[in-house]
Amino acid sequence: MQSSLVSVAKALRQARHVFVLTGAGISAESGVPTFRDAQTGLWAKYDPLQLATPGAFERDPSLVWKWYSWRRELVSAIDPNPAHYALANLVECVPELTLVTQNVDGLHQRAGSPAVSEFHGNLFTNICWRDGSTQVLAANDIEIPPICPDCGSMLRPGVVWFGEAIKSDVLDNSFNRAAACDVFISIGTSSLVHPASALFEAAIGNDATIIEVNPEITPMSKAADFVLRGKAGTILPELLDLLAVED
Ligand code: BV8
């Protein structure tokens, strides 16, 4: 067991408000490819960064819609992993927990986390391309992409694409909570995507203890008080076991 795991458990026991930021790495052990992983099958030749943009959807709405349909099918067929369940249990171990995820897969909610802020939206929601209103997909709609029942425009996935702004309430709430926390844990993110990658700086501004869980070094690593080098699916259950022992 990493010595810092014991130190991290001690920091969590003393914490008043824990802020957790997760990225694609926490879903990797469920079988969801991260944005850094090469894509598989017919999507192997596409770069996610090029597909997850309004421009890509404008140029080829059918291609982009099919990519998201493939991801929806992939995520629907897998389950949360021990890292998601450990975080769902963490809420019982600390006075206040804020969970913000960059992921759009909905796995935190399926693992039982009661309050999840989806910084980049959710794969399974549909919004109107014209006005961004949330829409329900008509069961008999076979158009690709489907048509907005309100205005006849195209529907698009309810995610934040590169070049699009984070919803202002989600952005403000996330930064306010990061600035108020006393322990900030970054799990499974390359810390490359802005503005999510700036959240830890707000926590540093509040002298929070900074913890990173990632098998690899990231731009955030040098700012971390504790770095737990390894997989979330191994580290987080061990951390919760330590907390349970003390309790
Ligand atoms: C905005 C939804 C402004 C879509 C996503 C140049 C410099 C700085 C910034 C920019 C720049 N050029 C452009 C920008 C801004 C841009 C950006 O940051 N680009 C990056 C690529 C440089 N950001 C934006 O465009 C954002 N908006 O800035 O708006 C604005 C303001 C006003 C008005 C208009 C505009 C919007 C960004 C949101 C993009 N949407 N998702 C979809 O999913 O299809 S982000 C998408 O990529 C994912 O959601 C995910 O969040 C992100 C990838 O990041 P990670 O989650 O970190 O995943 P990644 O694969 O990178 O890393 C995985 C990590 O896990 C690795 O570190 C790995 O080691 C680790 N790992 C692996 N296995 C495990 C593990 N860890 C633990 N356990 C394991 N088992």
Side-chain angles (χ1 to χ4, degrees), residues 15 29 51 61 69 88 172 178 195 204-205 239 243:
E29 291 161 89
L51 284 178
S69 297
D172 296 345
I204 287 179
L239 193 54
L243 285 176

Side-chain angles (χ1 to χ4, degrees), residues 1 8 17 63 78-79 82 114 120 122 137 156 158 180 183-184 197 200-201 221 227 234 240 242:
M1 179 177 291
V8 167
H17 176 181
L63 175 76
I78 60 170
D79 294 315
H120 295 151
N122 185 292
L137 206 52
R156 53 161 284 187
V183 174
F184 182 99
S197 56
F200 81 93
E201 290 162 355
S221 301
V227 172
T234 306
L240 269 290
L242 274 176

Side-chain angles (χ1 to χ4, degrees), residues 22-29 33-37 48-49 51-53 67-68 71 81 83 101-104 119-121 123 159-166 187-197 212-218 230-234:
T22 63
I26 199 168
S27 297
E29 291 161 89
T34 72
F35 268 60
R36 309 291 131 196
D37 291 337
L49 298 187
L51 284 178
T53 67
W67 180 50
Y68 281 91
R71 290 172 65 190
N81 67 62
T101 186
Q102 299 173 85
N103 302 335
V104 296
F119 207 67
H120 295 151
L123 192 57
V159 296
V160 179
W161 278 330
F162 289 100
E164 291 186 320
I166 308 300
I187 303 169
T189 177
S190 58
S191 294
L192 293 173
V193 175
H194 185 80
S197 56
E212 181 178 59
V213 178
N214 195 317
E216 295 174 10
I217 291 176
T218 73
K231 293 185 173 185
T234 306

